[in-house]
Amino acid sequence: MAKSSRSKWLLLGTVALVVLPLLLVEGKFAGSDDQATAAITHAKPGYQPWFSPIWEPPSGEVESLLFALQAAIGAGVIGYVIGKRQGLAARDDAEH
Amino acid sequence: MHIMEGYLPAKHCLAWYSVSAPFFAGGVWRIRKILAERPQARMNLAAAGAFAFVLSALKMPSVTGSCSHPTGTGFGAVVFGPAVMAVLGAMVLLFQALLLAHGGLTTLGANLFSMAIVGPWVSYGLWKLGQRLGLSVAVSMFLAAALGDLATYITTSIQLALAYPDPVGGFMTAAIKFGGIFALTQVPLAIAEGMLTVVVMDALAGKVADIRKVSILAGETR
């Protein structure tokens, strides 16, 4: 199987894995860490965390901005490395 | 997801910090060695860290009706060995603890152990096993990344069960309860991570035979 078609199918599969739960499962899709917090409070009623985050994003908007920033930085670096490699490969081809 | 700030007893925090510290030191040593011996690998090392950065920012819906995110640590563990991920994973965890109030500084040692140590070592072990059993490169990479991801969340469940055993059923009941929250949610996400890891391997390695990809990415061969 050609490599590009392998990637295509794998990416399609990933999209399906993300979309299908949204379509087929009824749920609030809250974070699993919130559920864990609830489970802890259930096991130890009245539990208070003994340390709080030093800084918290002031709103959901700022939080999603920072999550997007994190993804963008990572994707940017990966894209740069892929581009750089292709540029080097093209130069090698031109030399030979 | 990572264990939240302030949600592990101080003794547990200290214990997990001391377990994780030697792995972190080993990772620093290993990265310096890689950079000294094969400087051409530094771009792919950055890409391996970046992959963990992207994937742990992507909160995805799952079959349990809740959301969680993959870890992205299996790729770097297979290519550069599991040790380096302790350092790259620490960067991701620090970013999320300081800027997103996701995870925490007190729980950093515990989260480092699950995401940047157990996950990568499981991935690396499964990669070696897959290669020894004669599985194809893509299948080995997929299994390594997917099951390493899952191992991280099983570890998180065990860490929480150790801190919060069930009043009646004790540790095991609690482990199953937290496993139901974290590990079950993680199953489709782990599969997604396995598939994305193969995509990223193909994209970064370029048009070469599968069998040569990992050593080329590691900078061991050209």
Side-chain angles (χ1 to χ4, degrees):
Chain A
M1 194 173 19
K3 291 291 124 42
S4 58
S5 91
R6 175 161 90 192
S7 293
K8 197 168 69 192
W9 285 112
L10 289 171
L11 287 173
L12 271 176
T14 307
V15 170
L17 270 177
V18 174
V19 172
L20 286 178
L22 285 176
L23 297 178
L24 301 179
V25 181
E26 286 205 21
K28 290 180 178 164
F29 294 102
S32 56
D33 47 358
D34 293 338
Q35 287 180 291
T37 312
I40 289 169
T41 322
H42 186 72
K44 274 199 172 179
Y47 181 84
Q48 288 296 323
W50 61 279
F51 198 84
S52 307
I54 302 170
W55 184 81
E56 280 189 66
S59 71
E61 279 74 14
V62 178
E63 186 183 3
S64 60
L65 165 74
L66 289 166
F67 265 111
L69 182 70
Q70 187 189 336
I73 293 171
V77 170
I78 294 174
Y80 175 80
V81 174
I82 293 173
K84 183 98 176 169
R85 184 194 53 74
Q86 288 194 333
L88 289 176
R91 200 188 61 188
D92 285 354
D93 284 350
E95 280 171 4
H96 295 301
Chain B
M1 302 263 173
H2 313 308
I3 300 178
M4 300 66 69
E5 186 77 284
Y7 271 91
L8 276 187
K11 266 186 197 162
H12 288 241
C13 294
L14 270 179
W16 290 117
Y17 259 106
S18 36
V19 173
S20 295
F23 286 94
F24 183 83
V28 171
W29 180 78
R30 187 89 190 113
I31 286 179
R32 294 172 69 122
K33 192 162 178 284
I34 289 172
L35 290 179
E37 286 174 358
R38 30 191 164 116
Q40 70 278 18
R42 75 182 188 287
M43 299 268 286
N44 287 336
L45 195 60
F51 187 57
F53 222 65
V54 181
L55 284 207
S56 52
L58 299 178
K59 297 196 209 175
M60 302 175 178
S62 175
V63 287
T64 51
S66 58
C67 280
S68 186
H69 61 77
T71 62
T73 58
F75 176 67
V78 168
V79 173
F80 293 105
V84 303
M85 292 319 293
V87 179
L88 300 181
M91 288 160 57
V92 178
L93 287 168
L94 262 183
F95 182 94
Q96 295 199 321
L98 292 176
L99 293 181
L100 292 159
H102 185 64
L105 295 177
T106 57
T107 53
L108 185 65
N111 290 329
L112 199 64
F113 186 71
S114 62
M115 182 179 127
I117 297 167
V118 173
W121 280 89
V122 167
S123 291
Y124 183 74
L126 286 170
W127 163 257
K128 288 283 173 200
L129 183 70
Q131 291 303 94
R132 187 165 299 175
L133 294 176
L135 299 181
S136 78
V137 168
V139 170
S140 302
M141 187 62 106
F142 169 83
L143 289 175
L147 296 174
D149 176 316
L150 203 55
T152 290
Y153 283 82
I154 292 172
T155 307
T156 302
S157 307
I158 292 173
Q159 287 171 325
L160 282 173
L162 284 171
Y164 302 100
D166 191 82
V168 185
F171 167 77
M172 272 317 288
T173 309
I176 291 166
K177 181 182 66 188
F178 287 116
I181 294 171
F182 283 117
L184 204 59
T185 303
Q186 201 64 23
V187 170
L189 274 67
I191 297 171
E193 168 159 1
M195 298 199 290
L196 287 175
T197 303
V198 176
V199 171
V200 124
M201 171 186 77
D202 288 346
L204 283 169
K207 287 183 179 127
V208 293
D210 270 3
I211 199 79
R212 291 176 55 216
K213 279 181 179 164
V214 167
S215 66
I216 284 177
L217 287 171
E220 286 159 350
T221 52
R222 286 208 52 179

